[in-house]
Amino acid sequence: MATMLEGRCQTQPRSSPSGREASLWSSGFGMKLEAVTPFLGKYRPFVGRCCQTCTPKSWESLFHRSITDLGFCNVILVKEENTRFRGWLVRRLCYFLWSLEQHIPPCQDVPQKIMESTGVQNLLSGRVPGGTGEGQVPDLVKKEVQRILGHIQAPPRPFLVRLFSWALLRFLNCLFLNVQLHKGQMKMVQKAAQAGLPLVLLSTHKTLLDGILLPFMLLSQGLGVLRVAWDSRACSPALRALLRKLGGLFLPPEASLSLDSSEGLLARAVVQAASAPLGLWTGALAVLRSLWSRWGCSHRICSRVHLAQPFSLQEYIVSARSCWGGRQTLEQLLQPIVLGQCTAVPDTEKEQEWTPITGPLLALKEEDQLLVRRLSCHVLSASVGSSAVMSTAIMATLLLFKHQKGVFLSQLLGEFSWLTEEILLRGFDVGFSGQLRSLLQHSLSLLRAHVALLRIRQGDLLVVPQPGPGLTHLAQLSAELLPVFLSEAVGACAVRGLLAGRVPPQGPWELQGILLLSQNELYRQILLLMHLLPQDLLLLKPCQSSYCYCQEVLDRLIQCGLLVAEETPGSRPACDTGRQRLSRKLLWKPSGDFTDSDSDDFGEADGRYFRLSQQSHCPDFFLFLCRLLSPLLKAFAQAAAFLRQGQLPDTELGYTEQLFQFLQATAQEEGIFECADPKLAISAVWTFRDLGVLQQTPSPAGPRLHLSPTFASLDNQEKLEQFIRQFICS
């Protein structure tokens, strides 16, 4: 689930104080511009399907067949037709009448139900460590359970819920022009809710508005009231009491205590027994003041809520356990290759889990912890895939990675349309439509603090990104576009690493196209870059093998025209399937091992070679794909260079702050502002920790990082930096 925000797309120039901007746009080109629509032919791409490998039944049964024919609805548009009454007075009071008609589920006897749950009974009977022993349940323990439950939640007050819904509906209509929701996505969620099982929704929290929009949206669509977990440390006691009556959930502090604490055991048992009852609202009052001060009532914006396809958690648990295999850490996979100790990439998957370790997670078995971590990868992949790409992300990508020195608007019009079509062709959705000229005007108006518009004599406009920290903002916006081209970007950077030692970096494209690239060499380079990239960026599903992903990357490079197959003299043509012989190995393979190759044996890939295509558009597109990953890779390379001057040992937070200050200083010196991002600094520190460059040791003040003995030498530090820089295209 994701929420996207963008300002209003105006087709008319704005009035003062934007008069100068309007005068720039008023100089037209005398040309008829086409309209941009989020459709490929008659249909728009559907995004956010669940995993067909892990949840095949949900993939089939919870999909709405007519989803491509359904449009959007405005969830904050409440009129007379949304109530049971008609008349002039109803039209005046439709918000209030609508809130009175919302269904609020009755409060059940939750304390008694929790006392009878298996986890609490096992704890009280002494069947788990820390229990109270056999016999009757003491009254003192009953009171303790009620105290913990009272901290977690309170019975929702229907009057307060309806009053708050009415006030929130008025506020949202003052704040937004509309809140769009895809009817097909909502139909799937409603179909899953009809099964009668608890419905759990996970949000990516893209904005502060998620705590307001998501519960309100589900309530308005007839799904009842939503319970939202909230950090008790972020609210005052009075605000916590109010939010609990509105349906807020607050984890008790005892749930994060050590595993050998009896208070922690009881609190975690109560939390597990109390999860997924229905309720409403949290976080709303905490963000109203900040939203009001930020936008006020005059600057109304548009919002769009995305819902991925629901799936059965029970089905996922059964299917996911069957496809677990052996994995190795990043240090075991990559460190020997970085140091030049070996050249072969181990045939195992990478184990890199950055899920925060909390008390409730530690209370689970190791197998269940692994299940939760891998489930989070599936959820993150689905949420990213279901998010629409906004026009500002496209504009920021074009300005940062193709035209950092400036571009004429007439050229930008064509490239914006081209990039929108490429996004739709890859199965991603866009969150805009309209006349191309108006879309560009709207996008540049949102980026006006980071770009400059210069009018030239021919009537055209020159768009120039502002040098300096504004490029960091453009890089953050362009990261939204990376998942769309991620496979091609990984493949292009892998090809760049393969060519790094053969041709000069600034050599002509024709010279690079002469070289033959074997499929095995491409596989190896793709695997190396895959292992280096963070898991939350790569979004590789746990059920998908690395070699399948390598083949997918290679197929994408062929489909987009960057690579062409080259048949060596004397070899059988790739299209000749008549003389293929059956492999000596078993024909049946595990589902994760299927590829699009011509043989069942990877050994036959030695005879397959490729060249870089010599089509006219290929050099620019290749460079564009490489630059999509350049902010992250350049940050990693600078982090490797920073090992020579970093002050260690230090805490993880302290060393991350050191690295971020170094990235900012380097940006001022070299002009690489797209790397001066605190998120990139955190990602670099975590990756180096998994790679064995940094080691973590306990201390009385908390875990501290220090440089590992292996990378204490300058020689190994330079090897690490060179290994990263081979994938960077200048």
Side-chain angles (χ1 to χ4, degrees), residues 55-102:
T55 53
K57 295 181 180 178
S58 301
W59 189 88
E60 177 69 22
S61 62
L62 296 179
F63 180 70
H64 196 275
R65 294 300 175 187
S66 303
I67 190 170
T68 53
D69 299 330
L70 300 177
F72 288 84
C73 65
N74 184 7
V75 296
I76 63 173
L77 180 61
V78 175
K79 299 187 296 184
E80 178 184 2
E81 291 77 11
N82 300 107
T83 67
R84 295 179 298 166
F85 310 98
R86 297 294 181 268
W88 174 83
L89 186 60
V90 174
R91 288 192 292 271
R92 297 291 182 181
L93 302 176
C94 57
Y95 288 2
F96 181 73
L97 294 176
W98 173 86
S99 62
L100 292 180
E101 293 180 356
Q102 299 308 304

Side-chain angles (χ1 to χ4, degrees), residues 96-329:
F96 181 73
L97 294 176
W98 173 86
S99 62
L100 292 180
E101 293 180 356
Q102 299 308 304
H103 173 64
I104 309 297
C107 183
Q108 302 174 353
D109 189 7
V110 179
Q112 183 63 28
K113 184 179 179 180
I114 291 177
M115 290 295 298
E116 296 174 356
S117 64
T118 304
V120 175
Q121 288 297 322
N122 289 340
L123 181 65
L124 297 177
S125 62
R127 287 191 288 269
V128 295
T132 59
E134 299 290 343
Q136 298 294 325
V137 178
D139 293 337
L140 184 61
V141 178
K142 283 186 178 180
K143 293 181 180 180
E144 181 65 15
V145 170
Q146 293 178 354
R147 184 194 66 82
I148 296 175
L149 183 61
H151 185 92
I152 296 175
Q153 63 182 7
R157 300 294 189 267
F159 173 76
L160 285 178
V161 171
R162 291 190 172 94
L163 180 63
F164 195 76
S165 301
W166 167 77
L168 189 57
L169 180 61
R170 295 192 63 86
F171 175 79
L172 292 177
N173 275 276
C174 293
L175 185 64
F176 294 108
L177 288 170
N178 57 70
V179 176
Q180 295 181 351
L181 173 67
H182 196 285
K183 295 180 182 178
Q185 295 176 349
M186 196 66 235
K187 288 287 186 182
M188 294 189 301
V189 177
Q190 291 172 344
K191 188 175 183 180
Q194 291 174 359
L197 298 176
L199 191 64
V200 180
L201 297 100
L202 302 178
S203 173
T204 54
H205 294 293
K206 290 198 171 185
T207 68
L208 291 173
L209 295 172
D210 287 6
I212 294 180
L213 285 179
L214 303 183
F216 177 83
M217 176 201 66
L218 296 175
L219 178 66
S220 65
Q221 298 302 309
L223 285 179
V225 202
L226 177 68
R227 285 281 188 185
V228 185
W230 188 254
D231 188 359
S232 60
R233 296 171 295 182
C235 301
S236 63
L239 184 58
R240 279 202 306 269
L242 176 60
L243 291 179
R244 273 199 296 267
K245 293 179 181 179
L246 292 172
L249 285 176
F250 294 90
L251 294 181
E254 298 90 341
S256 300
L257 295 178
S258 59
L259 297 181
D260 55 356
S261 171
S262 59
E263 293 85 358
L265 286 172
L266 184 58
R268 283 187 287 271
V270 173
V271 168
Q272 293 175 4
S275 58
L278 294 178
L280 177 71
W281 314 116
T282 186
L285 299 180
V287 299
L288 290 182
R289 182 181 302 174
S290 61
L291 292 175
W292 194 271
S293 61
R294 182 176 179 180
W295 287 297
C297 294
S298 58
H299 188 63
R300 300 173 71 192
I301 59 178
C302 302
S303 178
R304 183 171 166 187
V305 180
H306 308 278
L307 296 172
Q309 183 184 5
F311 62 91
S312 170
L313 184 58
Q314 183 179 6
E315 181 189 7
Y316 173 78
I317 292 174
V318 175
S319 302
R321 296 183 191 274
S322 62
C323 61
W324 288 355
R327 292 175 177 251
Q328 292 184 353
T329 63

Side-chain angles (χ1 to χ4, degrees), residues 292-408:
W292 194 271
S293 61
R294 182 176 179 180
W295 287 297
C297 294
S298 58
H299 188 63
R300 300 173 71 192
I301 59 178
C302 302
S303 178
R304 183 171 166 187
V305 180
H306 308 278
L307 296 172
Q309 183 184 5
F311 62 91
S312 170
L313 184 58
Q314 183 179 6
E315 181 189 7
Y316 173 78
I317 292 174
V318 175
S319 302
R321 296 183 191 274
S322 62
C323 61
W324 288 355
R327 292 175 177 251
Q328 292 184 353
T329 63
L330 183 61
E331 181 178 355
Q332 295 170 331
L333 288 173
L334 213 54
Q335 189 181 106
I337 300 176
V338 171
L339 299 178
Q341 299 173 355
C342 69
T343 57
V345 183
D347 187 13
T348 56
E349 304 298 322
K350 178 178 66 172
E351 185 67 36
Q352 185 182 39
E353 305 293 351
W354 289 356
T355 307
I357 303 299
T358 59
L361 184 61
L362 288 175
L364 301 176
K365 299 178 181 178
E366 184 177 355
E367 184 180 7
D368 293 334
Q369 292 183 25
L370 185 61
L371 184 68
V372 171
R373 293 190 180 105
R374 296 189 177 179
L375 175 63
S376 64
C377 294
H378 274 285
V379 173
L380 182 61
S381 176
S383 63
V384 171
S386 62
S387 300
V389 178
M390 308 308 291
S391 60
T392 49
I394 298 178
M395 184 62 64
T397 302
L398 291 174
L399 293 177
L400 182 65
F401 298 127
K402 288 181 68 70
H403 306 292
Q404 201 169 126
K405 295 183 179 179
V407 59
F408 291 111

